[in-house]
Amino acid sequence: MSIQHIFNYCILTCTFPNVFKTVKVIPIYKKGNRADYDNYRHISIVTIVSKVFEFILNKQIMIYFEQNTLFIERHFGFKYGHSTGDAVIALIKTSKW
């Protein structure tokens, strides 16, 4: 069975195999007392298969939303060709300063 078939099955059945959900959590020291749990930032290392599936699914969802104009006009986050700078400019243009 190819990875494409697995991904398509996941999408059709709205499921994601538990084996793909396995992550390795690594605490990264930030600053302060090393014995204090709050002084660590945690990062999650996920499987390559999970990252590829997430990338493909995200791309399909973004294309669908763009083609069907489901984003509001002032949606800037995580959108291709838009940035936080665009959001600031839009905010300034609509502000009553």
Side-chain angles (χ1 to χ4, degrees), residues 11-43:
I11 293 168
L12 287 172
T13 60
C14 298
T15 59
F16 195 65
N18 285 336
V19 69
F20 293 163
K21 296 178 187 178
T22 303
V23 298
K24 181 177 183 179
V25 179
I26 301 173
I28 304 294
Y29 172 73
K30 294 187 296 186
K31 62 180 179 177
N33 182 357
R34 289 187 179 268
D36 186 357
Y37 178 78
D38 291 331
N39 291 328
Y40 288 84
R41 173 177 57 92
H42 299 88
I43 61 168

Side-chain angles (χ1 to χ4, degrees), residues 27-58:
I28 304 294
Y29 172 73
K30 294 187 296 186
K31 62 180 179 177
N33 182 357
R34 289 187 179 268
D36 186 357
Y37 178 78
D38 291 331
N39 291 328
Y40 288 84
R41 173 177 57 92
H42 299 88
I43 61 168
S44 298
I45 308 297
V46 299
T47 64
I48 297 291
V49 175
S50 296
K51 292 298 284 182
V52 170
F53 183 70
E54 177 185 346
F55 176 81
I56 291 169
L57 196 56
N58 181 59

